[in-house]
Amino acid sequence: MKFFRWNVTFQFVFLALCVYVGLVGLSLFLFSRGLNDALDDQLKSLLAEQSQLIDFNGKDLKWLEGSDSAGFHSPFSRPLASFQLFDLNGKVLGSHGSYHCAKLFLHPQEIKGLPVTYRTQVLPLIVKDTLLGYLQVEMPTTQRDAVMMKFAVTICSVTLLGFALLAWAGYNFSKEAAKPIYDSYEVLRQFSADVAHELNTPISTVRATAENMSEELNEPDALRTRLEVINRAVDRMNIIVKDLSLLTRLGMESEKPTKTPEQIALRKLVVDVVEEFKDRFQQKSISFSSKIEGDPIVSGHQDPLHRMLANLLENALRYTDSNGEVNVELYSDHSHATITVSDTGIGIPEESLPRIFDRFYRVDKARSRDHGGSGLGLAIVKAITAMHNAEIDVDSEVGKGTTFTVIVPIQKIRA
Ligand code: ADP
């Protein structure tokens, strides 16, 4: 689990890192381009100002009499920028300010110097369509670099902080993400343990009985009794395995139906199941009655719906003592049919009610096993109701009895 969480966190942070590095790189690039453009614009406007102070009338280009580097207006340019006049061959004709490199660059250039880097910009000096020379400005990039450095430091600190937060959030988020997996793993683990436990009892019975049989080979009556025990144990295993495979099939059918639903007449279905159980209730001296109203038609599957009602009646029979009462009802309104199975049996304690639909949960293990219960009856009922978009509810009081209510959506009511 811990490894899984770290793994998810690592992948999450790595993915975020890739996106982040891309974004940070892009923003650094765009920001530095913006700063360069701003610097170039500033240099261009300085060049435009400075070109006003050039004397174009002589043979060679030169600055007007009396102009110097203080002759232009920009407050930034005075201490920083320097200007150079070049002829067409790149020879320096004159300069304003203390320049750093006496070379003409026809395109903007970064001149790396220690400790200062300079940026140049050039203005071709054209009079009446004739190129006379070039005016070049050179300015330290200190201000631009300082802003860029500040931006980079800020963005890197924010990034580091962001990553710490992301790693923390990722680790916590992975806990949430892993929860459903962990829960289903726990359910599976519990389920395997329950199946092993359930099968262990009849297997031990078969083994112990078979061992005893070897000592009783000459006693046919004892052997017959032992064989009956083995038969019952095998029957138990058979019921458990059959119920388990039914549950699996129901689960698969609910998730990905392969069978087309049919139109089921609930009235006939209830009447049939009631008929099947009549004799068994009579044998146990339980008064068994039914009240069936209307003939609702539901969209569903005959065998599972039959099994659902049979399981509820099986439980009513199992957990109601002689002289008790069991009643089945069917009624419906325009949208739903309701089936209730109520008994005056032992009832279910309130704290057990939320768990009775769990696989292998039993309030009284001994009583359930003695009566042949697999502990899967209500889990099967629940799966069948889910398959039919139905709801099941239970109302019970210890010592008084239990009522199960199933509400199924209907297609129509047959007249
Ligand atoms: P089992 O095979 O043990 O009957 P079920 O899944 O059908 O398994 O039922 C789960 C448990 O719910 C039972 O063991 C029993 O304790 C309780 N139970 C179910 N139906 C009734 C009922 N009608 N009256 C009392 N207890 C019931």
Side-chain angles (χ1 to χ4, degrees):
M1 177 72 174
K2 222 168 185 161
F3 173 74
F4 174 81
R5 284 183 68 186
W6 278 117
N7 198 1
V8 169
T9 308
F10 175 76
Q11 290 193 23
F12 179 64
V13 172
F14 180 74
L15 199 75
L17 184 82
C18 294
V19 176
Y20 235 80
V21 166
L23 283 177
V24 166
L26 187 71
S27 50
L28 282 175
F29 169 75
L30 291 177
F31 190 70
S32 86
R33 228 174 69 169
L35 284 178
N36 270 348
D37 288 350
L39 183 60
D40 284 345
D41 287 348
Q42 191 187 354
L43 293 177
K44 276 179 197 160
S45 71
L46 289 177
L47 284 172
E49 275 179 12
Q50 193 64 201
S51 64
Q52 315 277 318
L53 306 175
I54 290 171
D55 181 357
F56 291 97
N57 294 326
K59 194 166 144 273
D60 284 330
L61 292 170
K62 60 176 179 187
W63 264 282
L64 288 169
E65 216 51 45
S67 73
D68 61 11
S69 59
F72 39 86
H73 317 297
S74 170
F76 299 109
S77 52
R78 190 173 304 190
L80 300 172
S82 64
F83 297 88
Q84 291 166 272
L85 260 178
F86 291 94
D87 68 7
L88 292 175
N89 301 319
K91 191 177 136 215
V92 181
L93 299 174
S95 67
H96 269 170
S98 54
Y99 61 88
H100 173 259
C101 179
K103 191 174 167 197
L104 174 67
F105 298 103
L106 290 176
H107 299 288
Q109 194 75 29
E110 295 267 311
I111 306 158
K112 298 250 177 267
L114 274 177
V116 184
T117 297
Y118 292 86
R119 188 167 177 86
T120 69
Q121 185 72 252
V122 79
L123 177 73
L125 299 170
I126 300 168
V127 176
K128 289 183 192 149
D129 289 341
T130 309
L131 178 63
L132 301 177
Y134 300 93
L135 176 63
Q136 180 168 283
V137 63
E138 185 191 276
M139 183 142 120
T141 58
T142 328
Q143 253 180 350
R144 181 204 67 182
D145 295 345
V147 173
M148 190 65 210
M149 184 53 90
K150 240 185 203 161
F151 180 72
V153 168
T154 311
I155 207 162
C156 287
S157 324
V158 170
T159 303
L160 277 180
L161 195 75
F163 272 111
L165 277 174
L166 262 182
W168 176 79
Y171 190 69
N172 284 306
F173 167 76
S174 65
K175 190 177 175 188
E176 287 305 305
K179 198 170 176 300
I181 303 169
Y182 184 71
D183 287 350
S184 31
Y185 167 74
E186 265 303 301
V187 168
L188 198 68
R189 205 178 58 82
Q190 186 58 46
F191 177 64
S192 312
D194 288 343
V195 172
H197 179 74
E198 287 299 322
L199 291 176
N200 194 35
T201 317
I203 288 171
S204 307
T205 309
V206 170
R207 184 190 291 132
T209 314
E211 274 169 18
N212 289 340
M213 279 172 84
S214 60
E215 292 159 18
E216 298 167 339
L217 290 175
N218 300 323
E219 300 169 46
D221 284 348
L223 277 182
R224 196 167 299 119
T225 313
R226 299 273 183 217
L227 278 176
E228 278 167 13
V229 173
I230 290 179
N231 257 337
R232 278 202 299 276
V234 171
D235 279 351
R236 255 192 79 61
M237 287 192 271
N238 199 17
I239 289 172
I240 293 172
V241 171
K242 271 191 178 162
D243 280 357
L244 277 175
S245 67
L246 174 63
L247 256 182
T248 313
R249 266 185 285 127
L250 288 171
M252 279 161 42
E253 195 64 29
S254 271
E255 277 170 19
K256 211 174 163 193
T258 52
K259 288 183 191 151
T260 325
E262 307 152 28
Q263 291 206 335
I264 312 288
L266 273 191
R267 183 186 186 89
K268 180 166 182 342
L269 188 135
V270 175
V271 167
D272 285 353
V273 183
V274 164
E275 260 327 293
E276 282 165 31
F277 275 80
K278 242 180 189 164
D279 289 347
R280 293 176 65 195
F281 279 109
Q282 204 177 1
Q283 277 164 15
K284 207 177 162 186
S285 303
I286 293 172
S287 143
F288 183 41
S289 58
S290 61
K291 188 175 166 200
I292 299 169
E293 290 172 6
D295 192 1
I297 307 295
V298 302
S299 162
H301 305 278
Q302 178 79 22
D303 289 347
L305 283 172
H306 186 284
R307 178 68 189 259
M308 177 189 80
L309 185 55
N311 278 11
L312 292 176
L313 281 176
E314 195 72 55
N315 280 351
L317 182 65
R318 199 175 282 156
Y319 302 107
T320 305
D321 293 327
S322 297
N323 301 321
E325 288 170 26
V326 172
N327 179 254
V328 180
E329 281 190 30
L330 167 69
Y331 54 91
S332 51
D333 60 19
H334 62 284
S335 58
H336 291 86
T338 305
I339 303 171
T340 62
V341 176
S342 30
D343 62 54
T344 56
I346 58 171
I348 304 166
E350 208 182 328
E351 65 275 13
S352 296
L353 285 175
R355 299 199 54 198
I356 53 168
F357 294 100
D358 291 353
R359 293 164 184 188
F360 297 119
Y361 180 79
R362 293 152 169 132
V363 177
D364 179 347
K365 290 189 176 47
R367 180 163 180 151
S368 162
R369 287 208 183 97
D370 287 352
H371 288 78
S374 67
L376 295 169
L378 287 183
I380 289 172
V381 169
K382 183 89 183 168
I384 295 170
T385 51
M387 189 179 176
H388 289 84
N389 296 321
E391 280 173 26
I392 183 159
D393 198 18
V394 56
D395 190 16
S396 188
E397 203 175 319
V398 175
K400 289 221 165 145
T402 305
T403 300
F404 284 94
T405 307
V406 179
I407 302 173
V408 203
I410 59 172
Q411 278 194 336
K412 60 178 179 190
I413 300 182
R414 197 146 59 191

